[in-house]
């Protein structure tokens, strides 16, 4: 669960709320647990499917816990976020966004509609390389569902 009323710190050090980064058809929030991949790695790995989602009006953001600041505020990750030309990497700077943070080495993914109703949720462990196709399949299903 997430608290949509909490402001998140973006890669350019501004505070934003979920409504500020919402796409015209929704938002996918990917909460990255401790010891998850760095921001630039997530942006690079999923740039193709994130582009497809954005074309459908669904924005995707990656949110890291406060303790993972070095994973999202490093120079390479900030450059990658600027390259995407929209806020997509965030830090839970106050430590209040996650109600029960994602487990270490895991992802918590929530798909929200425009009025912040949760449409789908998935927890994905990052223990082995099966996590990439699991997240990708979830995102592809959202793309397919948005076309109907």
């Amino acid at each position: 669960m997430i608290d949509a009323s909490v402001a998140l710190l973006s890669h350019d050090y501004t505070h934003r709320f979920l409504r500020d980064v919402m796409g015209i058809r929704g938002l996918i929030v990917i909460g990255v647990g401790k010891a998850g991949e760095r921001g630039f790695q997530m942006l690079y790995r999923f740039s193709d499917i994130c582009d497809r989602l954005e074309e459908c009006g669904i924005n995707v953001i990656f949110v890291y816990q406060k303790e993972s600041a070095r994973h999202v505020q490093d120079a390479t990750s900030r450059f990658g976020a600027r390259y995407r030309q929209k806020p997509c990497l965030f830090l839970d700077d106050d430590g209040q966004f996650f109600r029960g943070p994602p487990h270490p080495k895991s992802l918590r993914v929530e798909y929200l509609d425009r009025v912040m109703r949760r449409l789908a949720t998935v927890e994905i462990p990052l223990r082995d390389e099966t996590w990439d196709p699991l997240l990708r399949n979830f995102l592809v299903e959202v793309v397919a569902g948005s076309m109907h």
Side-chain angles (χ1 to χ4, degrees):
M1 297 271 301
I2 56 176
D3 185 347
S5 67
V6 173
L8 299 170
L9 185 64
S10 75
H11 69 277
D12 61 0
Y13 299 102
T14 59
H15 284 91
R16 310 256 176 126
F17 293 94
L18 291 185
R19 69 179 175 273
D20 299 332
V21 294
M22 177 74 64
I24 59 172
R25 297 187 68 199
L27 177 70
I28 294 176
V29 179
I30 302 172
V32 182
K34 293 179 189 175
E37 289 205 0
R38 299 179 88 75
F40 72 89
Q41 291 170 310
M42 296 297 277
L43 292 177
Y44 175 76
R45 189 181 287 243
F46 297 101
S47 64
D48 58 331
I49 189 66
C50 289
D51 288 344
R52 287 180 54 204
L53 283 158
E54 290 168 7
E55 288 171 7
C56 296
I58 302 167
N59 289 345
V60 179
I61 64 171
F62 297 90
V63 181
Y64 290 74
Q65 296 172 66
K66 181 179 185 174
E67 298 83 10
S68 299
R70 64 186 174 90
H71 285 350
V72 70
Q73 299 293 2
D74 64 293
T76 307
S77 295
R78 287 194 328 265
F79 177 77
R82 279 196 303 271
Y83 179 78
R84 290 207 51 85
Q85 299 180 352
K86 61 173 52 186
C88 51
L89 287 180
F90 290 91
L91 185 65
D92 179 12
D93 195 40
D94 293 328
Q96 298 178 8
F97 181 71
F98 297 105
R99 296 180 187 158
H103 298 293
K105 292 194 174 203
S106 72
L107 303 174
R108 180 181 303 146
V109 186
E110 295 193 23
Y111 172 33
L112 307 168
D113 68 7
R114 290 279 308 158
V115 294
M116 305 298 240
R117 286 184 301 224
R118 190 179 12 233
L119 301 175
T121 302
V122 66
E123 285 265 347
I124 301 173
L126 298 175
R127 290 183 186 81
D128 56 35
E129 285 303 310
T130 62
W131 73 269
D132 182 313
L134 290 173
L135 178 56
R136 191 169 297 280
N137 288 341
F138 178 87
L139 298 174
V140 166
E141 286 177 17
V142 171
V143 169
S146 72
M147 294 182 176
H148 296 301

